[in-house]
Amino acid sequence: MPANPTRFAALCAAALLTIPAAAQQNQTLLATPTTVAWGFYSAKATPVLTVHSGDTVTIQTLSTCGSPERLKSLGIADADIPPYVADIYKNYPASEKGPGGHILTGPVAISEAEPGDVLEVRIQKINIDVPWACNGFGAGRGFLPNDFPYSRTRIIPLDREKMIGHFAPGIDIPLHPFFGSMGIAPPESAGKYNSAPPWMHAGNIDNKEMVAGTTLYIPVNAKGALFEVGDGHAGQGNGEVDITALETQLTGTFQFIVHKAQPGDNAQHLLWPRGETPTQYIAMGFDEDLKTATEMAVRNMITFLAEQIPDHPRLTRDDAYALISTACDVDITQLVDTKSGVHVLCPKNLFTTPR
């Protein structure tokens, strides 16, 4: 289990759905034509696996780099393309694709989850499954479409032992693998929701802080929560300005914990996703307008510091606003997913007095 001593569980220990250790299960979900959702999150999606709160699932995913034919045209050896990629591209029903382009593994239902609860997703382990990543931009896409009105894709070899990507002679990129898209069903009224824009269900948040050992908290909108994951990245810069990162194939291990809603308890009432690392609290905001996304992220951190922080004295809203300005970082997560993302990082070492 990752080091995460100030989990959201401390907010609502009495409400935590406790599962005895002996009852916890470890399962594996492989990527196949019948276990992926191509381009969408949906409250009406049929679960491909159902687990209980406390269970752990290892989930295999695809990259966004394309079909085996496209990968081979880019110079990737056939032996370095996992066989399940061809199976999915060949046998996934065309009528079920879209409206987005991400191939997400799932959904996984957590049987105890109900609308109004919070799903805690502990990211325990992430493996890079192939020795390559792709990066590309297309005409009319990315943050500077008028500067680059054409398409280009390149392959970046990955050294998984040294954990570096060989971008070019003399340029090596340290790898920090994470999933660009981790999310659950949006509200049922959203229908078959495009996998590209992040929202209250999390989804395509593209937050490079969400590496192994970190935790994502998501407000539950549908029975079972319906977790999906994909869009593996070997690394990324904040902004993801050309529209892709070091896109690659990942397998991740996740533990799911349901926190039951308690009427009138604002300490556990979550409206937007939040993250936590061993050293930082993370609040998020998403909107088509970057300023609005920034306002959302700052307000969400103010609410956390004033009403929800679990292990330290809570601040007044005035002091929370001031602390963010004097000691926290407001970073652009990404600028290219229809809705821009902004996250606020609040260092845990600021707090020296336990609650």
Side-chain angles (χ1 to χ4, degrees), residues 29-40 48 60-62 84 88 92-93 96 102-107 228-229:
L29 180 60
L30 301 178
T32 74
T34 60
T35 63
V36 299
W38 194 312
F40 66 92
V48 300
Q60 185 182 69
T61 70
L62 274 69
Y84 54 85
I88 290 170
Y92 189 88
E96 297 297 318
H102 302 91
I103 301 177
L104 305 169
T105 307
E228 297 175 8
V229 63

Side-chain angles (χ1 to χ4, degrees), residues 155-226:
I155 297 299
I156 298 94
L158 304 181
D159 185 329
R160 290 177 287 174
E161 291 187 3
K162 296 181 179 179
M163 289 298 286
I164 54 175
H166 298 300
F167 182 82
I171 304 177
D172 286 336
I173 303 173
L175 303 184
H176 55 275
F178 71 100
F179 290 93
S181 193
M182 296 181 290
I184 60 178
E188 185 173 342
S189 60
K192 196 176 182 183
Y193 190 79
N194 192 317
S195 64
W199 195 32
M200 60 179 62
H201 71 300
N204 192 34
I205 61 175
D206 282 327
N207 190 316
K208 72 174 188 177
E209 303 295 333
M210 296 284 92
V211 297
T214 66
T215 303
L216 180 64
Y217 303 99
I218 316 172
V220 175
N221 303 296
K223 170 65 179 173
L226 303 180

Side-chain angles (χ1 to χ4, degrees), residues 268-317:
Q268 61 176 312
H269 184 58
L270 197 62
L271 293 177
W272 294 94
R274 189 173 71 242
E276 188 171 334
T277 79
T279 60
Q280 304 268 3
Y281 299 113
I282 305 174
M284 306 179 193
F286 314 109
D287 194 81
E288 290 83 354
D289 180 76
L290 181 60
K291 181 177 183 294
T292 301
T294 306
E295 291 170 348
M296 290 174 61
V298 173
R299 287 182 177 126
N300 288 339
M301 182 56 81
I302 290 171
T303 297
F304 173 74
L305 293 173
E307 302 175 15
Q308 298 174 334
I309 188 168
D311 291 343
H312 305 285
R314 293 171 187 167
L315 307 180
T316 66
R317 291 183 64 83

Side-chain angles (χ1 to χ4, degrees), residues 30-32 36 59-68 71 76 79-89 103 105 126-134 156 158 160 163 175 177-180 229-235 245-252:
L30 301 178
T32 74
V36 299
I59 304 177
Q60 185 182 69
T61 70
L62 274 69
S63 75
T64 60
C65 297
S67 68
L71 295 174
I76 297 176
D80 290 330
I81 304 172
Y84 54 85
V85 178
D87 188 24
I88 290 170
Y89 272 86
I103 301 177
T105 307
I126 300 176
N127 289 332
I128 302 175
D129 295 337
V130 293
W132 50 264
C134 75
I156 298 94
L158 304 181
R160 290 177 287 174
M163 289 298 286
L175 303 184
F178 71 100
F179 290 93
V229 63
D231 188 26
H233 297 167
L246 289 171
E247 310 287 330
T248 193
Q249 310 263 156
L250 300 180
T251 294

